[in-house]
Every structure is written in C-alpha cells, then in structure tokens.
Amino acid sequence: MEILETWAGQEFLTVPQLTRVVVKRAIAEYLKQHPLESENDTDCPPDPQPTEVKPATAAKAKRGKASKGAS
C-alpha cells in the first residue's frame, strides 16, 4: 500500500485513480496478447433487450400546516 501511495503521489493521483490506470493498462496489454475472436467470447452475460417502459406518474407530497414545525 505504501508503494501505491508513493507512486500515486508522484503522479499527482489518488490511489484509486492510479489503480484504475494500472488496471486499464494491464487489460490493454492482456488483450494485445490474447485478442478476443468475438464479443461473445467473454464470460459476461449479453445485454438485456430494452423493454417498453411506461412513464411513472408523479406522486405529490401533501404537506399540511400541522407537518410544518410540529414537534
């Protein structure tokens, strides 16, 4: 952890930001060495098909005088 903190400080990044950069670079290097033949080669499930969504009705909160300042 100390090494990550020192490295991040030298790069003017937070540890999470540096970690993200390092992981992205590692993934890019992995994909260079192990190119995917198609998008279906991943273990991720396919994106669900969009379904029709009906707009939600807005519910208005009712505030009476009793709710204001009542303790």
Side-chain angles (χ1 to χ4, degrees), residues 9-71:
Q10 292 171 347
E11 300 290 331
F12 301 102
L13 298 170
T14 64
V15 171
Q17 289 170 326
L18 176 64
T19 304
R20 183 176 179 167
V21 169
V22 170
V23 170
K24 281 185 166 187
R25 287 180 186 167
I27 290 171
E29 184 63 30
Y30 175 83
L31 291 175
K32 281 183 187 177
Q33 295 175 11
H34 305 90
L36 299 176
E37 291 180 17
S38 72
E39 289 183 17
N40 294 332
D41 275 351
T42 64
D43 290 334
C44 299
D47 290 336
Q49 296 297 320
T51 58
E52 184 178 334
V53 178
K54 295 180 181 179
T57 57
K60 293 184 180 179
K62 294 182 180 178
R63 291 190 186 181
K65 291 182 182 179
S67 67
K68 292 183 182 178
S71 300

